[in-house]
């Protein structure tokens, strides 16, 4: 998602108390930001933030960090958080390629990937957030029993991701090609993209992956 340049977005990001401006400074110290030792769940590519802000309001004992690479999109998530003022949700503007510079080994308990960009060209495969290159980054920052949870409407990207889980040496805990008509739908929180695609009748794929350490 890349919205047209939103005027004043840079100032809005720099002025927000909910955005961590220099996230690399908190590597290994994220619990100090939240002022508790609760588990940390992150969403990479959160878009406008509906999913993560809903989860944060439902689960006050979990700390959430929403990551988004584009300022024009991040400002929409800031606007939501300005209304909600959730103490367990912070936002970061960054590219997920820098994940290991921002989180220490085992600092994250769960990673959500929702409707990630497909990067359809083969030569861009390593940019997909479910590529083996990204699983190697997740391996570094995730706790031993941590989980990666991925949802998408894109069946081609999903099939690729199922293969990459195995290639990366991870284990598939479960997966479905039609989340909304599956046993896993209970408690499902919809993202903006999920609402759009499921209203058009497109089935939603979801997988949960972990590794044995
Ligand atoms: N998760 C939201 C949803 O489901 O409604 C937004 C989905 S949108 C298709 C994907 C989002 O991921 C975009 O906002 C994009 O800017 C962001 N994104 C893509 N690659 C990223 C990366 N490497 N690091 C951080 N954000 C990324």
């Amino acid at each position: 998602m890349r919205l047209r340049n939103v005027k004043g977005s840079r100032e809005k990001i720099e002025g927000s108390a909910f955005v961590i401006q220099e996230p690399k400074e908190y590597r290994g110290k994220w619990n100090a930001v939240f002022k508790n030792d609760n588990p940390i769940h992150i969403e990479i590519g959160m878009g406008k933030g509906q999913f993560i802000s809903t989860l944060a309001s439902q689960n006050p004992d979990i700390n959430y960090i929403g990551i988004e690479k584009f300022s024009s999109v991040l400002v929409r998530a800031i606007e939501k958080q300005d209304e909600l003022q959730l103490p367990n949700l912070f936002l970061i503007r960054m590219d997920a390629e820098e994940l290991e510079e921002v989180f220490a080994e085992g600092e994250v308990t769960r990673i959500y990937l929702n409707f990630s960009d497909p990067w359809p060209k083969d030569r861009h495969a390593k940019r997909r957030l479910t590529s083996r290159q990204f699983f190697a980054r997740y391996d570094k920052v995730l706790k031993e029993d941590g989980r990666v949870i991925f949802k998408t409407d894109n069946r081609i990207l999903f099939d690729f991701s199922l293969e990459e889980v195995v290639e990366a040496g991870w284990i598939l805990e479960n997966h479905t090609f039609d989340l909304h008509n599956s046993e896993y739908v209970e408690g499902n929180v919809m993202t903006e993209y999920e609402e759009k695609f499921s209203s058009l009748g497109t089935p939603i794929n979801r997988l949960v992956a972990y590794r044995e350490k």
Side-chain angles (χ1 to χ4, degrees), residues 94-129:
M94 65 175 260
D95 191 310
E97 285 188 8
E98 299 186 338
L99 212 56
E100 294 152 80
E101 294 165 53
V102 170
F103 298 102
E105 207 169 307
E107 201 170 14
V108 174
T109 300
R110 188 174 292 181
I111 298 175
Y112 289 107
L113 309 169
N114 291 317
F115 299 82
S116 310
D117 296 339
W119 292 106
K121 290 183 183 145
D122 280 349
R123 69 189 156 90
H124 290 150
K126 64 174 186 293
R127 296 189 193 170
R128 297 173 195 150
L129 293 180

Side-chain angles (χ1 to χ4, degrees), residues 53-109:
S53 54
T54 306
L55 283 187
S57 61
Q58 288 176 349
N59 304 291
D61 295 338
I62 295 173
N63 296 329
Y64 290 92
I65 299 174
I67 293 172
E68 171 55 50
K69 107 177 139 174
F70 288 119
S71 305
S72 56
V73 186
L74 179 64
V75 286
R76 300 297 174 220
I78 296 173
E79 284 162 6
K80 264 196 197 81
Q81 176 62 331
D82 281 342
E83 277 170 33
L84 298 168
Q85 304 266 326
L86 298 163
N88 59 331
L89 173 61
F90 285 94
L91 311 172
I92 304 177
R93 191 186 63 76
M94 65 175 260
D95 191 310
E97 285 188 8
E98 299 186 338
L99 212 56
E100 294 152 80
E101 294 165 53
V102 170
F103 298 102
E105 207 169 307
E107 201 170 14
V108 174
T109 300

